[in-house]
């Protein structure tokens, strides 16, 4: 009886451990599942096209080597290649992002609620960081140079800031076909409809006039 209990416990631990090694998305049950874009259908993911109709273009995106414009107040531009850009990514549990930075450009504090991210620097000097969850709220930061790699755990607030006076470029892999994006300031101050200023005044310990100013500013940029 004791051996049987230990065996069951061992199996349970192994099953749990193996489940934690999966990507953020469910594993595919076929070689691939190229998406069908039908706005009338809503599922957790995308519906599959007949695999016999798939072509190489369903797994292809050109021109990621081309710099993107950073002519905006933040001085950054994120090109995300998720399932909406590459139909063949459906069910494969992965996506890719290129971030272009102007000198001193910022990818502001944000989270990816469905993905861990691994980032490599190609150009620039990038100050990166993430903050752990409550109650510790620990800040983990690093200055990255070309060739350096950094990992951002799933769901935690993160940022990237080019501290060089030259342009910057990074590439990131994310373990979801649709990582999701929550830009903290945009979501809090630019929501539709807006969050009550009374709530934000108390939460951020700021004057109500400041809160209303921030809501007005972010409502025009989201």
């Amino acid at each position: 009886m004791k051996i049987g209990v230990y065996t069951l416990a061992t199996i349970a631990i192994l099953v749990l451990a193996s489940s934690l090694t999966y990507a953020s998305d469910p594993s595919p049950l076929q070689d691939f599942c190229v998406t069908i874009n039908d706005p009338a259908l809503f599922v957790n993911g995308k519906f599959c096209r007949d695999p016999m109709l798939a072509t190489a273009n369903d797994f292809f995106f050109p021109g990621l080597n081309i710099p993107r414009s950073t002519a905006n107040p933040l001085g950054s531009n994120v090109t995300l290649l998720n399932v909406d850009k590459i139909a063949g990514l459906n069910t494969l549990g992965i996506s890719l992002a290129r971030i272009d930075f102007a000198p001193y450009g910022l990818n502001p504090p944000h989270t990816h609620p469905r993905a861990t991210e691994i980032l490599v620097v190609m150009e620039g000097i990038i100050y990166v960081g993430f903050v752990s969850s409550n109650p510790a709220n620990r800040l983990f930061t690093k200055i990255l140079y070309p060739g350096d790699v950094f990992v951002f755990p799933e769901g935690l607030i993160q940022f990237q800031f080019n501290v060089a006076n030259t342009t910057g470029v990074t590439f990131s892999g994310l373990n979801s076909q649709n990582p999701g994006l929550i830009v903290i300031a945009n979501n809090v101050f630019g929501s539709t409809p807006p969050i009550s200023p009374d709530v934000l005044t108390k939460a951020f310990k700021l004057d109500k006039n400041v809160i209303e100013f921030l809501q007005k500013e972010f409502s025009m940029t989201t």
Side-chain angles (χ1 to χ4, degrees), residues 54-86:
T55 70
N57 283 336
D58 292 319
F59 304 90
F60 173 74
F61 182 92
L64 200 59
N65 61 310
I66 300 171
R68 270 57 177 177
S69 172
T70 56
N72 57 66
L74 291 173
S76 68
N77 190 326
V78 179
T79 304
L80 176 63
L81 302 186
N82 61 5
V83 68
D84 294 325
K85 297 291 183 64
I86 303 178

Side-chain angles (χ1 to χ4, degrees), residues 91-209:
T91 76
L92 298 186
I94 193 170
S95 55
L96 177 69
R98 170 184 173 133
I99 310 177
D100 289 273
F101 297 89
Y104 308 108
L106 171 68
N107 190 22
H110 63 280
T111 73
H112 297 294
R114 294 182 290 275
T116 293
E117 176 178 353
I118 184 167
L119 174 146
V120 59
V121 176
M122 306 303 293
E123 300 176 16
I125 303 173
I126 312 298
Y127 171 55
V128 302
F130 67 85
V131 181
S132 68
S133 58
N134 287 335
N137 297 319
R138 290 185 62 196
L139 174 63
F140 296 80
T141 64
K142 197 77 177 173
I143 299 289
L144 304 183
Y145 297 88
D148 290 345
V149 173
F150 197 80
V151 173
F152 303 93
E154 179 176 335
L156 299 186
I157 294 174
Q158 57 164 286
F159 62 86
Q160 297 89 29
F161 179 44
N162 181 22
V163 296
N165 60 3
T166 58
T167 58
V169 178
T170 65
F171 287 91
S172 294
L174 302 104
N175 67 328
S176 172
Q177 69 179 40
N178 185 21
L181 175 65
I182 298 173
V183 181
I184 307 305
N186 291 15
N187 281 57
V188 172
F189 297 109
S191 66
T192 305
I195 299 172
S196 166
D198 294 328
V199 171
L200 298 181
T201 297
K202 191 161 188 174
F204 288 95
K205 299 180 176 63
L206 293 173
D207 184 88
K208 191 172 182 178
N209 291 328

